[in-house]
Amino acid sequence: AMAEKMVKSPFVYTEGADKTSFDEGMGVMPVIKGLEGTFDTVATIYEKLRPGYTDELYRMLFKYIAIDNSSHVVEVGIGGGQATLPILKTGCILTAVEYGQKFSKLCEKKFEGYKNFSVITEKFENVSFPNSQYDLVYSASAFHWVPEDIGYSKVYDMLKHGGAFARFANHPYRDKGNPILSAEIDKLYSRYYCEYYGKDIKAETEYSEEQAIQRAQIAEKYGFVDIRHAMFYRTRTFSAKEYIELLGTYSDHIAIEEKIRTEFFAKIEETINQYGGKFTIYDTIDLQLARKP
């Protein structure tokens, strides 16, 4: 299934798998099979640079499903644990599933103070979970790695009646406040990224509510009810150096041959410094909620 995964055009980075630049099925650029493991090599930088999610998102989630120390929860694709702490703090028994070994180890260490936390290093679709035992299954920027029919059916089976599935993701968008800088960086993408992958640069669009609604409606096909969605927005500003560090956590960027990648990143850093020294990312976070009847 990975061979068909798509990424958006250069400069529209969806933080999929909690750790990659793949958009969840909305994109335009086919990706090399096996790329889902590449970001595991940069686990520590990734953990430092990738943001968590907004407080409002968790408030909406906990309003939808009450979670406490009697709850059993599974997180699909924990990555650097960006979406884990607010759930762990409820006292629930939280089992994370993570395909990347370095991420698993990083999270074991990060959450070692929580006796209610454990992690299984494996693909979600390969792990056997008991049916009807879980109050909440959730996935932050990771569920697009799981084939849709397998993922949704499995989550449905795992949940108790009245249990919830929460899917959310961050969709970063280019610096809207600095069009000259954006145009210059586009040129660099044409010259390095697009040439490397043999692709034309595509016009990019900001992640829309329409896309969030389409994603929410997927759950209906698998028997879920009480489907809801929400959108949250924020900005993050990086220095030139921080920004290229961030790019180095995107799997399609890591996969570029080292000599080309090094030059590409250096040119981006130089360009940002030439046009103000700061790069702002506009994040759109979408949340989809669904309930097992």
Side-chain angles (χ1 to χ4, degrees):
M2 291 307 161
E4 282 73 54
K5 279 285 161 237
M6 307 298 247
V7 285
K8 276 203 169 187
S9 60
F11 242 54
V12 189
Y13 305 124
T14 291
E15 311 196 359
D18 207 5
K19 46 195 178 287
T20 170
S21 57
F22 298 134
D23 182 65
E24 301 201 9
M26 302 289 182
V28 290
M29 199 173 282
V31 158
I32 305 102
K33 188 168 171 56
L35 218 53
E36 68 271 25
T38 50
F39 36 69
D40 192 43
T41 56
V42 290
T44 323
I45 298 172
Y46 175 86
E47 202 270 338
K48 185 181 88 174
L49 287 169
R50 289 305 177 93
Y53 297 86
T54 61
D55 292 346
E56 299 94 316
L57 184 148
Y58 294 106
R59 277 200 288 275
M60 186 170 174
L61 172 57
F62 295 140
K63 208 169 159 186
Y64 186 81
I65 182 95
I67 298 296
D68 58 26
N69 58 8
S70 66
S71 309
H72 287 78
V73 177
V74 170
E75 178 176 2
V76 180
I78 190 172
Q82 280 79 3
T84 309
L85 205 54
I87 313 286
L88 264 184
K89 282 180 171 171
T90 64
C92 69
I93 297 173
L94 175 58
T95 307
V97 183
E98 172 52 53
Y99 184 46
Q101 215 167 354
K102 288 181 185 169
F103 277 110
S104 287
K105 285 198 168 68
L106 187 145
C107 289
E108 274 173 357
K109 184 95 187 92
K110 186 174 178 177
F111 304 120
E112 65 186 351
Y114 290 87
K115 299 290 165 259
N116 51 330
F117 176 77
S118 62
V119 61
I120 298 165
T121 310
E122 184 50 273
K123 286 186 176 180
F124 175 64
E125 53 268 44
N126 297 342
V127 183
S128 296
F129 286 102
N131 286 352
S132 311
Q133 292 299 306
Y134 297 93
D135 300 276
L136 170 67
V137 177
Y138 77 101
S139 188
S141 300
F143 208 67
H144 58 291
W145 290 118
V146 183
E148 183 193 297
D149 53 341
I150 296 171
Y152 279 87
S153 308
K154 188 178 184 104
V155 170
Y156 187 92
D157 291 344
M158 287 165 65
L159 287 171
K160 296 174 183 173
H161 294 293
F165 176 42
R167 176 179 180 170
F168 44 103
N170 189 37
H171 308 271
Y173 186 74
R174 66 196 302 162
D175 193 332
K176 291 191 276 195
N178 199 337
I180 300 168
L181 173 60
S182 292
E184 289 303 313
I185 289 184
D186 266 353
K187 287 179 198 167
L188 294 174
Y189 268 86
S190 285
R191 189 170 142 201
Y192 292 96
Y193 183 103
C194 297
E195 201 166 296
Y196 184 80
Y197 283 115
K199 295 281 164 194
D200 294 332
I201 199 160
K202 302 279 189 215
E204 31 93 17
T205 51
E206 204 162 358
Y207 188 82
S208 69
E209 186 152 19
E210 196 184 323
Q211 286 170 293
I213 292 166
Q214 280 173 3
R215 191 170 291 176
Q217 286 167 346
I218 298 169
E220 216 169 350
K221 293 193 282 187
Y222 298 92
F224 288 91
V225 297
D226 191 15
I227 290 160
R228 302 181 200 180
H229 81 280
M231 311 283 280
F232 308 93
Y233 303 92
R234 67 169 172 216
T235 60
R236 290 176 287 144
T237 300
F238 297 87
S239 70
K241 191 177 186 311
E242 287 167 339
Y243 187 65
I244 63 160
E245 265 195 349
L246 176 69
L247 291 185
T249 69
Y250 292 123
S251 49
D252 57 340
H253 287 56
I254 304 164
I256 295 171
E257 196 264 308
E258 195 183 356
K259 192 172 174 295
I260 299 167
R261 186 179 71 237
T262 307
E263 193 180 316
F264 177 37
F265 282 11
K267 294 274 187 203
I268 288 177
E269 188 175 0
E270 203 180 291
T271 304
I272 292 170
N273 280 327
Q274 202 183 334
Y275 293 93
K278 294 270 179 243
F279 193 88
T280 300
I281 288 176
Y282 290 74
D283 287 333
T284 299
I285 298 166
D286 62 330
L287 167 68
Q288 288 83 27
L289 296 166
R291 202 181 297 282
K292 179 174 175 173

